[in-house]
Amino acid sequence: MRFLILFLFVSAPVLGSVRAQGEDEVKVDAETERIINRGLKYLAKYQAPNGSWQGRNEKERHYPIAMTAYALMAFQAAGHLPGEGEYGREVSLGVQYLLNSVSPEGLIGDKNNGQYMYFHGVSSIALAELYGQTSNPAIRTKLERLVRIIVSSQNENGGWRYKPTATDADISVTVLQVVALRAAKNGGLKVPQGTIDDAVNYVRSCYNKAKGGFSYQ
């Protein structure tokens, strides 16, 4: 497990290129495919008119940005892109909801939410992955703003915390930002190498040799 996160981060493009040359090792049987399709059908059924997903109770409705981003990643993983596939319309609406939620300065959703950077990170991942597959300039414009916020809000330890002006960091928020930056970089956006290096050093600092894993901070 040592430095597993670092290994996945650094080697992702290499592993991806190797797998692309051979047969996909992941096999989805018919029963699993049915379960996936039922899950996507459920998500499509409960999408809000504005394109978001907001949950089905009062507590869940506080997190539409994150829930929309996760839902979009589920559709994308099953091959549904904006305007493409059985759920192309739902994906298009969800993407537009996220894009409409990005402010001119690059914040998305409610910046005063106590766990803001979680939402920022996961929505950046969703949009970066979608941009990588569509090259949609409208997505890139907003994604560049999101990336600038991630870069500018990295703290002196190399990590991120709940707010974009955090003075400390934790590994769960940090990993979301790192994955978002990597996805953005894979799509051709500029990401400062120093930001990546500092993030790697922070993750290394969270490694607990005695337990063989990573601590929260």
Side-chain angles (χ1 to χ4, degrees), residues 102-191:
V102 180
S103 71
E105 62 265 37
L107 298 169
I108 183 167
D110 182 8
K111 67 178 181 180
N112 295 315
N113 188 290
Q115 298 178 322
Y116 171 79
M117 287 305 291
Y118 276 121
F119 313 146
H120 191 103
V122 71
S123 58
S124 298
I125 294 171
L127 290 176
E129 293 290 348
L130 284 162
Y131 176 70
Q133 292 205 33
T134 65
S135 298
N136 184 334
I139 295 178
R140 181 177 182 123
T141 299
K142 299 296 180 73
L143 180 59
E144 287 176 336
R145 298 180 193 174
L146 295 172
V147 168
R148 283 198 294 269
I149 290 293
I150 294 176
V151 172
S152 66
S153 62
Q154 185 179 35
N155 71 14
E156 61 182 11
N157 297 320
W160 289 264
R161 189 64 159 161
Y162 298 139
K163 295 290 186 69
T165 56
T167 56
D168 63 346
D170 72 63
I171 199 168
S172 63
V173 177
T174 295
V175 167
L176 282 176
Q177 314 314 313
V178 171
V179 174
L181 292 177
R182 186 52 192 258
K185 187 173 183 178
N186 286 348
L189 277 71
K190 293 183 179 180
V191 176

Side-chain angles (χ1 to χ4, degrees), residues 33-112:
E33 191 71 36
R34 283 193 292 271
I35 293 172
I36 292 172
N37 289 334
R38 285 168 56 192
L40 296 179
K41 184 177 181 180
Y42 178 91
L43 288 174
K45 179 179 179 180
Y46 289 105
Q47 185 178 28
N50 67 354
S52 70
W53 279 268
Q54 301 185 20
R56 301 189 62 194
N57 60 54
E58 187 59 32
K59 182 178 180 180
E60 292 175 349
R61 292 190 183 99
H62 291 296
Y63 312 109
I65 297 294
M67 294 188 71
T68 300
Y70 279 123
L72 287 174
M73 285 191 279
F75 282 113
Q76 183 187 16
H80 304 279
L81 297 174
E84 299 180 21
E86 180 181 356
Y87 297 107
R89 178 179 178 275
E90 286 79 4
V91 175
S92 293
L93 290 172
V95 170
Q96 195 58 53
Y97 171 78
L98 289 185
L99 295 180
N100 290 343
S101 300
V102 180
S103 71
E105 62 265 37
L107 298 169
I108 183 167
D110 182 8
K111 67 178 181 180
N112 295 315

Side-chain angles (χ1 to χ4, degrees), residues 1-11 200-209 212-214:
M1 291 294 292
R2 186 171 186 175
F3 303 138
L4 176 60
I5 295 175
L6 301 179
F7 171 77
L8 292 174
F9 176 72
V10 173
S11 63
V200 168
N201 288 334
Y202 173 74
V203 174
R204 286 179 184 271
S205 73
C206 293
Y207 179 68
N208 187 318
K209 185 176 181 180
F214 291 86

